[in-house]
Amino acid sequence: MDIYLRYFIVLIIVVLLTRWLTRKAEWGFSWSQLLIAMAAKVLMGSLYGFVFLRFYGGDDTWFINGDSMNELEKLLTRPAHFFEDVDIFRLVSENGWAGGLAVFQMKMEQALIIKPLAFVNLISGGNYYINVVAFSGISFWGHFWLYQACLAAWPQLKQWLFMLIFLYPPTLFWLSGIRSDAWLFFFFGLLIYIYGKWLARGQAGYLVLTILALAGISFIRAPLVAVIIPSLVAWWLVVKKQKPQVKAFLGVHMIAMVMFFLSGLLPSPLNLPEMVAEKQASFFALEGKTRVSLQKMEPSPASFIKMLPQAADNAFLQPRPWNTSGALQLLMVVQNLVLLGLFLTLIARRYPGRALLAPYPMSALLAYTALLTCLFIGYTIPFPGALVRYRAIPEICLLIWLSLAAAGDKISHYKLINVYKNRGF
């Protein structure tokens, strides 16, 4: 009985605190939306833990939860040393600048998860399912900020965006477990929301938060920063310099591509093509039950061009329905079919959502970030099981863009979602 009491105490604290923080949301966020969104997060987070414990022996999510108990012990017995593992000055002095910063990045990714959970463990005693509730109070915000940013552009699609961002089962599943992906979405959603605010209002506080969001992303998945910065620059050019959106985004990304390959003339760690090739090699060295056959990359433009069809196939069409292994890979097949169906609809209907998307450079950012991130994943990760988790954030961006682009003004809560209105009520 004690464990259930602790569970409901943490749940009530998380819900009430989240409600208090969202009560004055610019685009509104009702009690019913909060309860639905939080229930979905907690249920999927619990399912995530159960699936990986029952069928995969715990995986990293249970090991991370166990590490948080070690942090609790440190908090109680050696509180002055609680942050010693993320002391950047000590790490740099011991490992040099390059090595120290690399270790600091790794330690920060771990610390973002296990140190907050150390405090929760005072109540939960390390129970995974109670900690999932508390962790949902953090991971919820990535969804919320992305939702608010999208509503600023398309307030008429409130219900559709809520369903996509908060309730789409595959991405919700991968972003609800006790993993760093939830923190990555936290910082990604904050970046999209705050950067738009800074461009609109120019307040220094928004710029500071933008930098903090980029720093948070770099702790967890540094390549995503490199992928998203060109889109941020293009967004700035459209808003501040009144440049045409298509020219701004295409021009900036072409320049970024040239700079990427020119960096191949520089020594490591400034050699970006070499870094991508090394990332692929690090994944090749891992063991996995299901592996996609990928060509070994070389840090040259010719290698990237030659591998492009294979990377796209790996990112969007693997695994094939006939060679899936387990329920999670079968779910990935369904995800791929959804994306493919939206893409084919977009082509068949000749891009009816152009007028809906064109006025908002944020939509171009979502599309470019999703495509480039998926391609990077396709180049480097040969394991469908890992790929689907890494693809969760770009996939939700791609779903938003593709659904609006393919459906146009038909995707409205007045015409499509509100069934009572359709029936004449």
Side-chain angles (χ1 to χ4, degrees):
M1 183 61 70
D2 176 64
I3 198 71
Y4 297 109
L5 179 60
R6 295 182 184 206
Y7 185 94
F8 284 109
I9 288 174
V10 173
L11 180 62
I12 290 170
I13 291 173
V14 167
V15 170
L16 291 180
L17 179 60
T18 307
R19 176 55 186 169
W20 182 75
L21 292 171
T22 59
R23 71 194 189 284
K24 295 183 179 179
E26 185 174 359
W27 294 98
F29 203 74
S30 66
W31 260 110
S32 60
Q33 286 179 301
L34 172 61
L35 293 176
I36 292 170
M38 194 60 70
K41 289 293 292 180
V42 171
L43 287 173
M44 279 297 188
S46 300
L47 179 63
Y48 188 98
F50 173 79
V51 167
F52 279 97
L53 180 63
R54 177 67 177 81
F55 300 103
Y56 300 93
D59 196 63
D60 288 347
T61 188
W62 283 87
F63 301 147
I64 291 167
N65 190 67
D67 288 342
S68 72
M69 286 299 290
N70 298 330
E71 291 299 306
L72 174 61
E73 187 273 335
K74 185 190 297 185
L75 179 66
L76 295 176
T77 61
R78 297 182 293 121
H81 301 278
F82 188 64
F83 294 104
E84 64 181 355
D85 50 336
V86 288
D87 183 348
I88 188 172
F89 301 105
R90 178 180 64 81
L91 294 174
V92 168
S93 66
E94 292 177 354
N95 302 279
W97 277 105
L101 291 176
V103 175
F104 176 71
Q105 177 189 358
M106 179 185 68
K107 294 289 187 180
M108 277 298 299
E109 180 180 359
Q110 298 171 347
L112 284 168
I113 307 175
I114 61 179
K115 292 192 182 296
L117 289 182
F119 292 94
V120 181
N121 286 337
L122 292 169
I123 300 176
S124 71
N127 182 279
Y128 183 94
Y129 297 101
I130 297 177
N131 284 348
V132 159
V133 174
F135 201 66
S136 296
I138 297 172
S139 60
F140 161 86
W141 288 94
H143 301 266
F144 178 79
W145 282 320
L146 181 59
Y147 178 63
Q148 290 289 305
C150 288
L151 282 185
W154 307 291
Q156 73 276 25
L157 305 180
K158 185 174 183 178
Q159 294 184 36
W160 177 251
L161 291 170
F162 180 84
M163 289 194 298
L164 274 187
I165 295 172
F166 285 97
L167 302 178
Y168 182 64
T171 53
L172 181 62
F173 177 81
W174 293 109
L175 296 174
S176 296
I178 299 178
R179 297 291 294 255
S180 59
D181 302 88
W183 266 113
L184 181 64
F185 196 35
F186 175 98
F187 289 117
F188 179 80
L190 176 63
L191 174 66
I192 303 302
Y193 176 68
I194 287 296
Y195 188 73
K197 290 287 187 184
W198 176 68
L199 289 176
R201 303 179 184 179
Q203 297 179 9
Y206 291 136
L207 180 59
V208 171
L209 287 174
T210 296
I211 295 171
L212 289 176
L214 285 170
I217 293 172
S218 71
F219 292 144
I220 301 165
R221 205 156 295 158
L224 182 56
V225 176
V227 168
I228 201 172
I229 280 179
S231 288
L232 296 177
V233 173
W235 191 353
W236 179 83
L237 287 173
V238 173
V239 173
K240 295 297 186 180
K241 300 298 181 180
Q242 302 299 306
K243 300 294 182 181
Q245 186 178 138
V246 174
K247 290 183 178 179
F249 275 85
L250 281 177
V252 169
H253 281 88
M254 289 181 66
I255 293 171
M257 182 176 65
V258 171
M259 292 176 64
F260 173 83
F261 287 114
L262 285 178
S263 73
L265 302 174
L266 302 174
S268 185
L270 300 177
N271 189 323
L272 299 181
E274 185 179 76
M275 289 179 64
V276 176
E278 289 175 351
K279 188 71 173 177
Q280 186 203 55
S282 68
F283 274 104
F284 277 10
L286 300 176
E287 296 292 333
K289 291 183 179 180
T290 305
R291 179 189 289 262
V292 175
S293 178
L294 284 181
Q295 179 183 339
K296 182 182 177 182
M297 291 189 65
E298 300 295 336
S300 67
S303 179
F304 277 80
I305 295 171
K306 185 178 180 180
M307 270 198 68
L308 180 59
Q310 195 176 40
D313 175 74
N314 186 35
F316 298 109
L317 299 176
Q318 291 288 351
R320 301 289 193 264
W322 50 87
N323 61 8
T324 57
S325 175
L328 292 181
Q329 289 194 22
L330 187 60
L331 177 63
M332 191 175 179
V333 170
V334 175
Q335 294 173 245
N336 293 343
L337 290 175
V338 169
L339 292 175
L340 182 61
L342 286 172
F343 179 69
L344 294 176
T345 303
L346 167 65
I347 294 175
R349 300 193 66 219
R350 300 179 182 179
Y351 192 10
R354 183 183 294 104
L356 195 62
L357 296 169
Y360 305 104
M362 183 190 70
S363 66
L365 179 142
L366 293 177
Y368 275 90
T369 299
L371 287 172
L372 293 175
T373 304
C374 285
L375 283 177
F376 175 82
I377 293 168
Y379 274 116
T380 56
I381 302 178
F383 305 110
L387 188 147
V388 65
R389 180 169 61 85
Y390 277 75
R391 203 183 73 175
I393 294 174
E395 183 174 351
I396 195 65
C397 296
L398 200 56
L399 272 172
I400 293 170
W401 191 90
L402 278 175
S403 64
L404 271 60
D409 59 3
K410 290 185 179 297
I411 193 164
S412 164
H413 67 288
Y414 294 109
K415 299 178 182 178
L416 179 63
I417 299 172
N418 193 334
V419 295
Y420 297 105
K421 187 177 183 68
N422 290 342
R423 293 176 181 176
F425 286 90

